[in-house]
Amino acid sequence: MHQQRAAGPLAVIAGGGQLPEEVIEAARASGRDVLPIAIQGEASASLLRFEPVELGWAQIGKLFDLLAKHQAKELVLIGSVSKRPDFTQVLGDFGTMRRLPKIIAALKGGDDSLLVKVMGLFEAEGIRVLGAHDVAPQLLAGSGLLAGPHPSDDALAELEFGKQALNTLADLDMGQALAVKQKRVLAAEAAEGTDLMISRVSELRQLGRIRSKGPAGVLVKGAKRGQDLRVDLPTIGPSTVRGVAAAQLQGLFVEAKRVLIAQKAETLRLANKQGVFIYGY
Amino acid sequence: MHQQRAAGPLAVIAGGGQLPEEVIEAARASGRDVLPIAIQGEASASLLRFEPVELGWAQIGKLFDLLAKHQAKELVLIGSVSKRPDFTQVLGDFGTMRRLPKIIAALKGGDDSLLVKVMGLFEAEGIRVLGAHDVAPQLLAGSGLLAGPHPSDDALAELEFGKQALNTLADLDMGQALAVKQKRVLAAEAAEGTDLMISRVSELRQLGRIRSKGPAGVLVKGAKRGQDLRVDLPTIGPSTVRGVAAAQLQGLFVEAKRVLIAQKAETLRLANKQGVFIYGY
């Protein structure tokens, strides 16, 4: 996406995991000034090397003051949040209290609408919310073979079936991944996340419910149709490759430009080493 | 289904679990003469009280001889099979060998088509394949509240969403069950079976990905659209109720007349005790 750059720094509000660091580095590498903000109790300790401002959930007022002080007009929300914050249990600062009715209204919706509403809170105050794909496109999967052996014709046929299946699952707001063998859905991701879904395929193997000599079947992961990538950007990383190898799937198909590869060099190296393909479709 | 009774006995080919015994007893209770046949290595030891004929996978020839000798023109295939038989690895009797090309052709299809083709092998030789629902309808779920507290309006709304979702999943030959909370699919069954799917909901609870004080969400289980109930009759039992209670779901909706309740008295008693509803829709 081509876009005008705002004058101020890009605020990166960091949850857990390594991804916030990668996004900060990628944004800086592309010449962007970054204001790192760590969510207390969520951001990883290694984020401290960026000397972030640390803020708790109840410090929404302070957050907005900070953005104003630095004239930050754009922000990215990135990283994992282990628990839904319970704003009704914390006594917030004044700026939090003032916004509390809106925040609580936002928390009442479903999971996706929550983040959409949180983004609405920022945008209502003139702060533009960007996605990691906007500020760090170099982290996204490219097209074609990215690592490992070239997928077989059977695997490519499984991709076609898997893409249709993901499209159908999007009607139920399900996704973002599934494991497919021939024209059979082995496992479909709902609320459990991709890693747990993949480990289920290993269990099915152990239970004798998948029979094949050697690896068979593929993982297909992509963004849900209509998915706002700022809210939920599908991501793979070393643990995905390890899971796919353990489940004896042949490889991973990822939607090009719409799936982020965390720890890209390590992820691709591991796929090459394990003989698992990663292919952007 | 209204049907003419065949003159000879009903052959019941029994895999694992208690269900074959229940079906034999129910068929006998309705006045039917039964010829019990145990699949070696699959049928449960307690089936021996019916003095079944024991046959291995490679004794297809002997099976057909047995059916002919007893003039059995109808059979039911019931119970679990822990592994797909590998007919290419066993030396069969003459009647097996003669049918081997057809059997191997049948084994090459997907999972559903396998059983359909096996049934075709029987029907091609004049043996009618019935379902447990045909010969033991008293084991099926009835309509309305069957056990536990009456479902709340929220739960009934979740049922409506769940029915639509199952209908969508049927396009992918997925089903037969899912866990729903509000308009969110928590978990959808693919190849793992209902019990493993329910235990995933417990894991999601432990991971903090489902938040509610007390039980919330429901299980919906029904036959896939177009499902041949002789091939795969959805079944619940005590383990389903235990799983639903452990996952802190409010209850189970089952499709009336198309879901079998194994160990019915015990299943309903347990649901009443746990405060989990079972409701036929």
Side-chain angles (χ1 to χ4, degrees):
Chain A
M1 209 185 323
H2 194 74
Q3 65 203 21
Q4 291 290 323
R5 257 179 205 176
L10 173 72
V12 175
I13 302 185
Q18 268 190 272
L19 207 46
E21 297 169 56
E22 292 192 63
V23 170
I24 291 169
E25 281 174 340
R28 284 188 174 163
S30 67
R32 189 77 200 251
D33 188 23
V34 173
L35 170 63
I37 300 167
I39 302 174
Q40 260 170 22
E42 298 288 354
S44 123
S46 55
L47 193 83
L48 294 177
R49 67 188 163 103
F50 296 109
E51 299 183 1
V53 179
E54 287 189 75
L55 292 178
W57 287 113
Q59 295 180 289
I60 310 283
K62 197 165 167 188
L63 171 60
F64 277 103
D65 292 346
L66 185 74
L67 297 177
K69 183 181 141 196
H70 287 84
Q71 295 185 292
K73 294 287 185 196
E74 294 185 335
L75 70 74
V76 171
L77 299 159
I78 185 80
S80 61
V81 172
S82 60
K83 279 187 212 165
R84 248 185 177 203
D86 189 348
F87 285 99
T88 59
Q89 297 294 320
V90 288
L91 191 64
D93 64 15
F94 180 73
T96 308
M97 296 306 280
R98 186 165 63 79
R99 294 174 179 90
L100 209 52
K102 273 191 189 171
I103 294 171
I104 289 174
L107 287 171
K108 284 188 176 161
D111 268 2
D112 267 0
S113 64
L114 168 70
L115 261 168
V116 171
K117 286 172 189 170
V118 165
M119 295 193 311
L121 294 177
F122 286 112
E123 303 214 318
E125 305 205 18
I127 312 292
R128 190 163 167 222
V129 180
L130 302 178
H133 61 294
D134 294 315
V135 302
Q138 59 269 55
L139 303 181
L140 300 177
S143 291
L145 187 65
L146 305 175
H150 202 282
S152 65
D153 286 349
D154 282 353
L156 289 167
E158 287 167 334
L159 167 64
E160 289 311 308
F161 176 75
K163 278 159 63 176
Q164 289 169 28
L166 279 180
N167 198 37
T168 300
L169 291 174
D171 292 341
L172 304 176
D173 199 23
M174 280 176 67
Q176 313 158 334
L178 39 74
V180 169
K181 180 170 174 263
Q182 291 168 319
K183 288 192 183 295
R184 182 180 176 214
V185 177
L186 297 175
E189 179 182 341
E192 75 276 26
T194 304
D195 281 358
L196 261 181
M197 187 276 274
I198 297 172
S199 70
R200 188 153 77 247
V201 179
S202 290
E203 286 181 63
L204 290 170
R205 282 253 176 210
Q206 282 154 23
L207 293 169
R209 294 200 205 166
I210 302 171
R211 287 189 71 186
S212 73
K213 284 167 196 152
V218 301
L219 184 83
V220 184
K221 181 159 185 169
K224 282 177 213 168
R225 172 166 31 81
Q227 173 71 54
D228 184 336
L229 296 180
R230 298 174 306 166
V231 173
D232 195 358
L233 181 62
T235 299
I236 65 163
S239 69
T240 323
V241 173
R242 269 184 229 109
V244 163
Q248 295 190 61
L249 295 166
Q250 294 189 314
L252 295 93
F253 288 107
V254 291
E255 190 179 5
K257 308 278 175 217
R258 284 160 68 81
V259 172
L260 188 147
I261 306 184
Q263 300 176 61
K264 202 172 204 172
E266 169 64 8
T267 301
L268 300 182
R269 188 196 65 77
L270 202 59
N272 282 320
K273 188 183 156 199
Q274 300 269 14
V276 160
F277 67 76
I278 303 181
Y279 189 100
Y281 68 84
Chain B
M1 209 186 327
H2 193 75
Q3 65 203 21
Q4 291 289 324
R5 258 181 202 170
L10 173 71
V12 175
I13 301 185
Q18 270 192 272
L19 209 47
E21 297 169 55
E22 291 192 63
V23 169
I24 291 169
E25 281 175 338
R28 282 185 175 163
S30 66
R32 189 78 200 251
D33 187 22
V34 173
L35 169 65
I37 300 167
I39 302 174
Q40 260 168 20
E42 298 286 355
S44 121
S46 55
L47 192 84
L48 294 178
R49 66 189 163 101
F50 296 108
E51 300 182 0
V53 180
E54 288 188 75
L55 292 178
W57 287 115
Q59 295 180 291
I60 310 282
K62 198 165 168 190
L63 171 61
F64 277 103
D65 293 346
L66 185 74
L67 297 176
K69 182 180 142 199
H70 288 83
Q71 295 186 294
K73 295 285 184 197
E74 294 184 336
L75 71 75
V76 171
L77 298 159
I78 186 80
S80 60
V81 172
S82 61
K83 280 189 212 162
R84 252 186 174 202
D86 188 348
F87 284 99
T88 59
Q89 297 295 319
V90 288
L91 191 64
D93 64 13
F94 180 73
T96 308
M97 298 305 280
R98 186 165 62 78
R99 292 172 181 93
L100 209 51
K102 272 190 188 173
I103 293 170
I104 288 173
L107 286 171
K108 284 190 178 162
D111 267 3
D112 267 359
S113 64
L114 169 69
L115 261 167
V116 170
K117 285 173 190 169
V118 166
M119 295 194 310
L121 295 177
F122 285 112
E123 303 213 319
E125 305 205 19
I127 310 290
R128 191 163 165 219
V129 180
L130 302 178
H133 61 294
D134 294 317
V135 302
Q138 60 269 54
L139 303 182
L140 300 178
S143 291
L145 188 65
L146 306 174
H150 202 283
S152 65
D153 287 350
D154 282 354
L156 290 166
E158 288 167 335
L159 167 64
E160 289 311 309
F161 176 75
K163 279 159 63 177
Q164 289 169 27
L166 280 181
N167 199 39
T168 300
L169 291 175
D171 292 341
L172 304 176
D173 199 23
M174 281 176 64
Q176 312 157 334
L178 41 74
V180 169
K181 181 169 174 265
Q182 293 169 315
K183 289 194 182 293
R184 183 179 174 213
V185 176
L186 297 175
E189 179 182 339
E192 76 275 25
T194 305
D195 282 356
L196 261 183
M197 186 275 275
I198 298 172
S199 70
R200 188 154 76 246
V201 178
S202 290
E203 287 181 61
L204 290 171
R205 283 254 176 210
Q206 282 154 24
L207 294 170
R209 294 199 206 166
I210 302 171
R211 287 188 70 185
S212 73
K213 285 165 196 152
V218 302
L219 185 85
V220 184
K221 181 159 184 167
K224 280 178 215 168
R225 173 168 29 83
Q227 172 71 55
D228 184 337
L229 297 181
R230 298 174 306 168
V231 173
D232 194 358
L233 181 60
T235 300
I236 64 165
S239 69
T240 323
V241 173
R242 267 184 231 111
V244 162
Q248 294 190 63
L249 295 166
Q250 294 189 314
L252 292 96
F253 289 106
V254 289
E255 191 179 6
K257 309 278 177 219
R258 285 162 66 84
V259 172
L260 187 146
I261 307 184
Q263 301 176 63
K264 202 174 206 172
E266 170 62 8
T267 300
L268 301 182
R269 187 196 65 75
L270 200 58
N272 282 319
K273 189 182 156 200
Q274 301 267 16
V276 159
F277 67 76
I278 302 181
Y279 189 100
Y281 67 85

